[in-house]
Amino acid sequence: MLFKSLFLVHLAAAQELMRFGCSQLTVDQIDPLVEPGNVPSAHMHQIVGGNSFNASMTPGSHDPPTVSTCTSCTYSEDFSNYWTANVYFKARNGTFKRVPQVVNLGLGTKAGMTIYYIRGYQSSAKVTAFPKGFRMLVGDPMNRVANKVPKGNCWRCEANMQQSPFGGAPCTGSDTPGFPKAACGGGWRMTVTFPSCWDGKNTDSPDHKSHVAYPASGTFESGGACPSTHPVKIPQVMYEAIFDTRQFNNKADWPADGSQPFYLSMGDNTGYGIHGDYLFGWQGDALQKAMDTKCANDNCAALKRQSNAQAIACTKAQASKENIGDDQWLKNLPGAITQF
Ligand SMILES: *[C@@H]1O[C@H](CO)[C@@H](O)[C@H](O)[C@H]1NC(C)=O
Ligand SMILES: *[C@@H]1O[C@H](CO)[C@@H](O)[C@H](O)[C@H]1NC(C)=O
């Protein structure tokens, strides 16, 4: 543990990032960003954050800090919602089982995600927190080709549950844009990274992407400047989730032809459909204060932090009636059947 915390301190100093745990709020087949009001939506998601998460979350009227009564994230002023697709395993007999997620940062016994807000890498540039109502999407659930996976989005085959050796920064080394092809001893780490520049005006756009952009030259990591169309530097939001694929590691259960037995919930068995949804919901100017005072990791003088137990206690009942497939074999992928 000592090694790990020293490592994190070092990482935070170099990169100036907040990194905190959020436990599972719910697993549900709704998507207030891409398909507002639809119950069920096209595919299943796993969601963390404020408990005002619901199918509609109407822009301009639904204000997460006002209508939430709790958050499953450790910073108690953060009622944002963060969500991604789930992963399922398909057995030889054609049935599906949901791949459980691992608790990957000090949040006791419950699965969830680790959320990052990265200010920059040794950069002194002003970082502007998202305005009220801000939302965005990264990645494309319908994408099935490697070179269209946005940068900073990838999968890592973990050798063991200790994530040792660490394997370097996300999406470097042997990380892949699609699903790992081997049986992994420590499951899969999924990293989802959003663009870090904003047009400074729109809190959303028709494709939920055009109001944000990547740096004009270089990368966020190298301190690349934002393009003139999107001049405002925003925190780089990154999600990390670990899927515990270990119970599915017996190759005798995998398709005889050697094909991939795992599917993202939209019926994607490449992993290139990796995507993440973000709906901003920090109270008042808490996130701006966190950026200005260079908050690090999951404890910061400028922010209120609840206990891990309080975060874990925040959950939300499933709105869609679909069977999410917890520890059960399902005949079909929930809801995704029309997309095969
Ligand atoms: C979502 O939450 C808002 C605000 O609490 C509420 O007015 C609305 O009815 C909810 N919508 C759904 C579909 O539950
Ligand atoms: C399908 O395969 C899984 C994994 O081998 C097995 O646990 C399950 O019982 C099978 N279901 C049926 C209906 O045969």
Side-chain angles (χ1 to χ4, degrees):
M1 278 333 277
L2 182 63
F3 172 78
K4 194 159 186 188
S5 50
L6 282 175
F7 170 77
L8 284 176
V9 167
H10 187 73
L11 191 75
Q15 304 187 341
E16 294 184 5
L17 53 84
M18 286 202 285
R19 174 187 195 264
F20 55 89
C22 295
S23 80
Q24 205 80 82
L25 180 74
T26 188
V27 172
D28 205 345
Q29 199 168 328
I30 56 176
D31 189 340
L33 182 55
V34 177
E35 293 180 74
N38 286 1
V39 185
S41 63
H43 56 263
M44 194 64 83
H45 290 114
Q46 52 100 9
I47 302 112
V48 303
N51 71 341
S52 73
F53 181 80
N54 76 19
S56 50
M57 303 189 85
T58 311
S61 67
H62 188 112
D63 183 30
T66 316
V67 285
S68 297
T69 55
C70 67
T71 171
S72 73
C73 294
T74 42
Y75 281 122
S76 42
E77 291 155 290
D78 181 13
F79 300 99
S80 306
N81 286 116
Y82 312 90
W83 68 98
T84 75
N86 299 100
V87 179
Y88 287 81
F89 174 79
K90 187 181 185 183
R92 277 194 184 187
N93 62 21
T95 63
F96 293 88
K97 191 170 172 184
R98 191 163 74 85
V99 178
Q101 277 173 256
V102 178
V103 186
N104 58 342
L105 186 74
L107 265 184
T109 53
K110 202 144 152 249
M113 286 202 280
T114 303
I115 303 297
Y116 294 69
Y117 283 82
I118 308 169
R119 281 192 77 257
Y121 295 74
Q122 290 157 336
S123 154
S124 57
K126 163 91 179 166
V127 176
T128 303
F130 307 102
K132 204 164 156 171
F134 184 91
R135 39 197 68 196
M136 62 181 165
L137 169 71
V138 69
D140 176 0
M142 305 307 284
N143 178 42
R144 299 292 179 268
V145 292
N147 65 8
K148 291 209 173 125
V149 175
K151 57 183 115 177
N153 289 263
C154 62
W155 303 88
R156 175 171 295 181
C157 179
E158 297 285 3
N160 52 54
M161 295 309 279
Q162 290 69 44
Q163 300 181 38
S164 174
F166 171 62
C171 308
T172 62
S174 40
D175 292 5
T176 47
F179 288 155
K181 294 197 166 33
C184 304
W188 296 354
R189 191 177 82 175
M190 177 182 72
T191 301
V192 169
T193 313
F194 291 82
S196 54
C197 301
W198 173 46
D199 70 10
K201 294 193 264 300
N202 298 296
T203 52
D204 197 2
S205 47
D207 62 358
H208 314 292
K209 294 176 181 175
S210 333
H211 58 314
V212 290
Y214 292 95
S217 62
T219 58
F220 179 84
E221 289 80 353
S222 66
C226 286
S228 59
T229 50
H230 297 76
V232 181
K233 189 175 171 190
I234 48 178
Q236 188 182 47
V237 177
M238 186 172 102
Y239 305 168
E240 193 177 275
I242 301 186
F243 292 94
D244 190 354
T245 52
R246 288 176 301 167
Q247 65 177 290
F248 309 107
N249 275 355
N250 183 0
K251 285 272 187 163
D253 291 335
W254 291 31
D257 65 1
S259 60
Q260 180 61 258
F262 292 97
Y263 287 77
L264 276 168
S265 47
M266 53 283 184
D268 167 21
N269 82 329
T270 64
Y272 301 142
I274 185 172
H275 65 283
D277 297 77
Y278 175 71
L279 202 147
F280 171 78
W282 285 79
Q283 205 157 44
D285 64 350
L287 182 60
Q288 188 64 60
K289 273 192 297 187
M291 291 297 112
D292 294 347
T293 62
K294 305 188 177 181
C295 275
N297 295 325
D298 68 349
N299 215 332
C300 171
L303 295 177
K304 298 190 184 96
R305 192 205 194 283
Q306 61 183 346
S307 69
N308 290 347
Q310 284 168 313
I312 290 169
C314 185
T315 58
K316 172 110 194 175
Q318 187 187 343
S320 72
K321 303 275 182 286
E322 305 291 326
N323 185 341
I324 63 172
D326 252 339
D327 252 350
Q328 278 173 49
W329 292 96
L330 305 173
K331 278 204 188 113
N332 303 121
L333 262 190
I337 198 68
T338 53
Q339 295 182 33
F340 276 93

